[in-house]
Amino acid sequence: MEAISAGLCSDSRAKDEAMQGKKEDHRNDEMLWVLSLLTASLPLMADSLPKDDHGLCVLPHQHSMELQDADELHIPMRLWNGRRVYDTQKICDRCMEAILEKEFYHCSRDCDVDFCTSCHTELQAVLDKHFTLRSSKMPMTHLVERMLWTMHAADELAWQILRRGHHERMLLARLLAEEWPLDIFASLVATIVDVCNAKVLYNASNGAITSSVCRSYTLGQEPYQQQSQPLYEDDSFWNTIGLLQFLYASNLLRKEDLDTEGNHRPAVSALSFVPEAINQCRPEVEWSRREANATHALPDILRSEDFTTASPEFRCLAAHTNILPINFRRSCVVLDIRHSWPRLPARHVTLRRDPELLVADLEAFFCESPIKKASEEDMQDSSTEVTTVPATGTNSEMQMDTEEEAEEPLEETLRTANSTALRQPFYVAFQGEDGQGLGVRKEFFHVATRAFLALLFEEVSSRQYWFGRVDRPGAFFAFGALLGHAIVHDVLIPSAFPWTLFDLLLRDLQSPPADGRLSLSHLAAVAPEEAHSLRQVLDYQGDDILQHFGELGQDPFESA
């Protein structure tokens, strides 16, 4: 009996393994079919949508627009601020401004679509340029149908991918990362970004309006129908975002893979995944929606078993930080900081313009050193005057006095610095000058930034700086506080650091966009001459490397 039971168990296990193998084969076949669908669709979808002067794809209304005359339509006219305006009761479907001019454009098929003359002229120029370049290869009607088909095909591809289980999504992502050439994958990413840009029509006070294209199979109707709706109700738009996030995740898998020589495979730049049309949305609206869903994290599109684009966590535009335009993301960060920042009374500080003295003043101001520390009563006063270090005496003498008076090491002082004081906003005035206000504050950030860069950093290329051999941790701390306050005060300062610094910051934060390991590219951004020399050593093929380059520290041919 035991032998029979063992045999039955063994037979059952074999059947389960065989069934599992068949399921895996079926799953692989389906994923290969989806991959084939992508491959076949991409040449037709790529570069099929018209782009405006900013390089953003637009989706024109599918019907022609006819010029309307308000006088002929007997629309009442009135004088407003000395000019004639017409109460058309219409809003331009591009700029969302009320149409008050005598002439405007309305859909020839009587759809509820209207354009002001300025927007119509702009759109028409975009379409004329697009069709002129392609009309010799394809009739106009086919070009229009190709545009609508591209929008619909992107939706179908998104549905085919996102509806599958997490095992299948992961399998397809790996196939795209490992099997597809980089140029074809980059073309697919660009096409989906174009579709996403084309779907964002315009902005409204309570959120953006998007456009989608659906296939019609009813006799007598046009094959494709356009419809507009609020962004958060548009399933099509969020499926496109889901497909873009899927491709982003696949690109990360590509970056993680190593070739036979141990190098990371080339991947698409993270900036290629950014739909710039999102800048047309209102940051305050999207930030508010994110605050309402702040307790929920964005789901993992490859590993989440119950992933859906209909969840409130996913339908939160500000949560998709990896694909947001930098200006939009910055606006959300400023809103986030301002709402979370404690409401504190502002301090007044008078600073000296001389770069070295300005750095010393800010070092004392931010680090709360004993000779600059304000009394608790002054800190509670909204008109606190923070006195500066006397102008007499050299900078080195002031540093010596500070070190003698301090009872604790500077590192301990920084750790115990008053966080409340550090967060306080401040009003700036320069010593001996009467100017105050926003203009002076903006000037202060630029002057102070240049002073810190000149004192603490070395210029490694044109307007790009790297850390110098300066042992002043207090000054570095003050510079960091200054950069933080630039965000709080919503002041733009010039980009002064090479991308290597930001990549190192991302690595410390364990952010996925960061490069997996340091390379010569990182060094080239900081020390281009040294990187060039090392590249020559690495590329040299001769056996006389020591004679050619000199002593390298160890025998390059010595086995590890």
Side-chain angles (χ1 to χ4, degrees):
M1 292 294 291
E2 293 180 0
I4 294 175
S5 298
L8 289 175
C9 291
S10 176
D11 185 54
S12 176
R13 190 181 303 112
K15 287 183 178 180
D16 290 343
E17 291 177 355
M19 289 295 295
Q20 186 65 27
K22 289 182 179 180
K23 288 182 180 179
E24 288 293 332
D25 292 340
H26 179 68
R27 182 183 297 166
N28 291 342
D29 290 342
E30 282 197 352
M31 292 304 97
L32 289 175
W33 177 83
V34 174
L35 202 61
S36 300
L37 181 62
L38 279 170
T39 306
S41 304
L42 185 57
L44 296 174
M45 297 172 64
D47 197 33
S48 63
L49 298 171
K51 296 183 179 181
D52 61 16
D53 293 338
H54 303 289
L56 299 182
C57 286
V58 296
L59 183 64
H61 185 57
Q62 63 190 110
H63 305 142
S64 61
M65 305 293 292
E66 291 183 347
L67 181 65
Q68 307 290 313
D69 189 290
D71 289 335
E72 295 179 359
L73 297 174
H74 306 289
I75 296 176
M77 182 270 294
R78 58 187 174 87
L79 290 177
W80 183 63
N81 289 340
R83 70 185 185 98
R84 295 193 305 172
V85 297
Y86 291 83
D87 191 13
T88 64
Q89 300 293 317
K90 295 181 179 296
I91 294 178
C92 176
D93 284 283
R94 179 168 173 82
C95 66
M96 281 299 291
E97 297 291 336
I99 297 178
L100 304 176
E101 291 80 11
K102 176 184 177 182
E103 295 182 337
F104 61 94
Y105 287 83
H106 182 70
C107 174
S108 60
R109 303 285 186 89
D110 206 27
C111 298
D112 188 20
V113 176
D114 303 278
F115 290 137
C116 65
T117 54
S118 176
C119 287
H120 179 268
T121 301
E122 179 184 347
L123 281 173
Q124 195 59 47
V126 172
L127 296 178
D128 289 344
K129 179 181 178 181
H130 179 79
F131 291 140
T132 300
L133 296 175
R134 295 161 178 81
S135 58
S136 60
K137 301 178 182 179
M138 189 179 298
M140 181 85 66
T141 54
H142 290 180
L143 289 172
V144 175
E145 186 170 345
R146 182 186 175 191
M147 285 191 301
L148 300 175
W149 174 86
T150 296
M151 303 293 290
H152 176 66
D155 292 341
E156 288 296 315
L157 289 171
W159 183 81
Q160 284 289 343
I161 294 173
L162 300 179
R163 71 180 180 89
R164 301 183 180 275
H166 64 287
H167 292 297
E168 294 172 308
R169 292 196 299 270
M170 177 62 79
L171 176 60
L172 182 58
R174 288 203 172 278
L175 287 173
L176 287 173
E178 297 172 2
E179 302 296 334
W180 266 34
L182 180 62
D183 56 341
I184 299 180
F185 182 76
S187 178
L188 175 60
V189 172
T191 299
I192 301 305
V193 169
D194 286 346
V195 170
C196 190
N197 283 330
K199 287 188 174 185
V200 181
L201 287 183
Y202 49 78
N203 198 11
S205 58
N206 59 344
I209 303 296
T210 55
S211 177
S212 60
V213 175
C214 60
R215 187 75 167 88
S216 175
Y217 298 96
T218 305
L219 292 177
Q221 288 189 355
E222 296 180 353
Y224 297 101
Q225 300 290 328
Q226 286 181 246
Q227 58 181 2
S228 302
Q229 54 189 321
L231 180 146
Y232 286 101
E233 299 177 8
D234 188 353
D235 296 337
S236 167
F237 175 81
W238 292 108
N239 284 340
T240 306
I241 293 293
L243 179 55
L244 192 58
Q245 287 287 17
F246 171 81
L247 296 175
Y248 187 92
S250 178
N251 192 56
L252 292 182
L253 294 179
R254 177 184 290 268
K255 290 176 65 176
E256 294 173 0
D257 291 338
L258 299 177
D259 57 22
T260 56
E261 298 180 356
N263 298 318
H264 289 276
R265 299 188 63 197
V268 178
S269 168
L271 296 178
S272 301
F273 293 84
V274 177
E276 292 291 339
I278 291 178
N279 280 322
Q280 299 172 201
C281 303
R282 291 182 183 270
E284 58 272 18
V285 173
E286 309 307 330
W287 179 87
S288 299
R289 189 174 183 90
R290 183 182 182 183
E291 281 297 289
N293 297 277
T295 57
H296 304 284
L298 196 65
D300 190 329
I301 198 168
L302 294 185
R303 298 170 179 84
S304 178
E305 296 185 11
D306 55 350
F307 173 81
T308 173
T309 60
S311 66
E313 298 85 6
F314 193 86
R315 294 199 178 191
C316 181
L317 195 58
H320 296 265
T321 54
N322 58 319
I323 62 173
L324 292 180
I326 185 63
N327 290 335
F328 188 89
R329 194 187 322 171
R330 177 181 176 276
S331 298
C332 289
V333 169
V334 171
L335 287 169
D336 192 51
I337 291 176
R338 287 183 172 179
H339 282 77
S340 62
W341 204 262
R343 295 184 178 275
L344 299 170
R347 291 189 290 174
H348 290 255
V349 57
T350 302
L351 305 168
R352 293 166 289 183
R353 271 191 180 272
D354 180 83
E356 290 193 10
L357 298 178
L358 177 59
V359 170
D361 289 349
L362 289 174
E363 184 177 352
F365 178 67
F366 284 122
C367 297
E368 296 292 328
S369 62
I371 62 172
K372 297 292 293 282
K373 201 168 185 179
S375 65
E376 294 183 1
E377 293 80 11
D378 289 338
M379 292 293 294
Q380 296 174 357
D381 185 1
S382 60
S383 61
T384 298
E385 178 73 16
V386 180
T387 57
T388 59
V389 179
T392 59
T394 63
N395 191 37
S396 59
E397 291 174 349
M398 288 187 290
Q399 289 180 347
M400 292 177 62
D401 293 339
T402 303
E403 293 175 358
E404 291 175 359
E405 293 184 24
E407 297 178 356
E408 299 175 337
L410 181 56
E411 291 78 3
E412 186 66 23
T413 302
L414 297 182
R415 281 196 297 268
T416 59
N418 190 322
S419 60
T420 301
L422 192 62
R423 292 184 175 190
Q424 280 187 279
F426 52 83
Y427 295 106
V428 177
F430 288 105
Q431 192 176 65
E433 301 180 15
D434 296 330
Q436 291 184 354
L438 296 178
V440 175
R441 185 170 66 187
K442 184 177 180 180
E443 180 190 9
F444 153 72
F445 276 102
H446 285 79
V447 171
T449 299
R450 288 196 296 268
F452 276 107
L453 290 174
L455 182 64
L456 305 178
F457 299 86
E458 297 178 357
E459 190 170 9
V460 294
S461 61
S462 178
R463 299 180 181 179
Q464 295 285 290
Y465 295 82
W466 194 248
F467 299 93
R469 299 181 181 275
V470 180
D471 185 18
R472 289 186 62 178
F476 281 106
F477 180 87
F479 189 34
L482 178 74
L483 296 179
H485 272 279
I487 299 177
V488 176
H489 291 83
D490 197 14
V491 176
L492 287 175
I493 57 177
S495 176
F497 301 107
W499 67 270
T500 299
L501 175 62
F502 301 101
D503 190 66
L504 291 174
L505 291 173
L506 292 176
R507 284 163 56 90
D508 287 343
L509 295 172
Q510 298 181 348
S511 176
D515 283 349
R517 63 174 186 173
L518 297 178
S519 64
L520 274 182
S521 299
H522 291 81
L523 180 62
V526 176
E529 295 183 0
E530 288 83 346
H532 178 69
S533 298
L534 287 176
R535 172 54 61 187
Q536 288 184 314
V537 173
L538 291 174
D539 293 342
Y540 190 73
Q541 301 296 323
D543 295 335
D544 57 341
I545 187 170
L546 294 180
Q547 299 178 9
H548 192 79
F549 291 100
E551 181 61 42
L552 298 175
Q554 69 177 38
D555 187 351
F557 301 104
E558 181 181 353
S559 59

